[in-house]
Amino acid sequence: VSNVDGSSACIRVVAHSEPAVAIPAVARAARRWEKHKNHPCMSPVLSAFSAHEYGGHALLCVVCAYHPLSVSLHESLAAPGNTVGVRRKLGEDATWRFACQLLSLIADVHANGLYFSPSDLHATKLLVDGSRVRVGGVGLGLALGLDAAQAETARNPTSVLARQKGDLLHLASALAMAASGAHVSDPIELCLAELSGPGGGVTPELIAFLRALAAPAAGGGVF
């Protein structure tokens, strides 16, 4: 809990060979997303510092917004008892709700010329808290050098539109996976085929929406 403004945060310990190098990178990521940090669907990195564990090894400690009741979208759909190979489905109403929430954030982000890392919109990184979904740890992948493609885009502004279109595909993939009860690594085509089958349990309108959401990556418009 901050002694400055009373806000809560969580500290995430990350294995990194050079914490002293990573700290400024995390600070740059925090500044990059500063304008969007108060969006209700945003949970960005805030800062970082180093610490030492027993034995003198340096640790990278990343400070993130704290949402104590949140679990990842993927985790929220685990079957009771975590039965292996069994997944629950998100449900159509929740899928529409999460789509509207996340598209409002993506629209704001794109309007400012920014884009997410592919990992930001992955089902294991989307945080669910009741009826609210958030994008967690935004900026961390690029700051820690985990997203080489995004680093290349930062050096090549002409690729920004392609990455923004990719945001919609990654969102469509996460939503299709959740709505179909598929495995987190299943491709979107498999998830949509499951939803289109007799046991899909969703309306044709949702399937058409998810297909349209993924279409920009194939050359259509962003919205």
Side-chain angles (χ1 to χ4, degrees):
V1 178
S2 170
N3 58 7
V4 176
D5 59 8
S7 61
S8 298
C10 67
I11 297 176
R12 179 177 174 182
V13 178
V14 180
H16 198 281
S17 59
E18 297 182 278
V21 175
I23 290 172
V26 174
R28 288 192 294 272
R31 290 193 298 271
R32 174 183 173 88
W33 294 100
E34 175 74 22
K35 184 177 293 187
H36 302 284
K37 72 176 186 179
N38 292 323
H39 191 285
C41 296
M42 185 76 158
S43 182
V45 296
L46 303 176
S47 62
F49 61 92
S50 62
H52 292 275
E53 63 177 344
Y54 181 77
H57 299 290
L59 298 173
L60 175 64
C61 300
V62 179
V63 181
C64 302
Y66 182 48
H67 306 289
L69 300 181
S70 294
V71 296
S72 73
L73 175 60
H74 181 252
E75 185 181 359
S76 72
L77 298 174
N82 292 315
T83 305
V84 177
V86 179
R87 307 282 303 164
R88 296 188 299 109
K89 296 182 179 182
L90 180 60
E92 179 155 351
D93 288 347
T95 302
W96 282 114
R97 184 186 312 116
F98 289 172
C100 290
Q101 292 176 12
L102 292 170
L103 283 172
S104 74
L105 172 60
I106 290 174
D108 285 350
V109 166
H110 288 184
N112 282 285
L114 299 177
Y115 45 85
F116 291 101
S117 296
S119 60
D120 289 337
L121 298 172
H122 195 269
T124 58
K125 300 295 178 61
L126 296 176
L127 304 177
V128 176
D129 182 357
S131 60
R132 171 65 59 189
V133 63
R134 298 179 177 89
V135 183
V138 176
L140 189 58
L142 179 60
L144 301 184
L146 303 179
D147 187 353
Q150 189 175 29
E152 177 59 32
T153 304
R155 294 188 291 268
N156 181 12
T158 60
S159 299
V160 171
L161 180 59
R163 293 305 302 271
Q164 290 179 337
K165 290 181 177 181
D167 285 345
L168 301 184
L169 173 60
H170 299 135
L171 174 60
S173 296
L175 293 175
M177 182 282 299
S180 65
H183 189 273
V184 70
S185 62
D186 287 343
I188 186 172
E189 294 82 3
L190 181 61
C191 299
L192 290 173
E194 176 69 24
L195 289 173
S196 301
V202 300
T203 61
E205 288 78 11
L206 178 60
I207 297 171
F209 167 75
L210 293 173
R211 291 190 185 280
L213 198 61
V222 175
F223 288 104

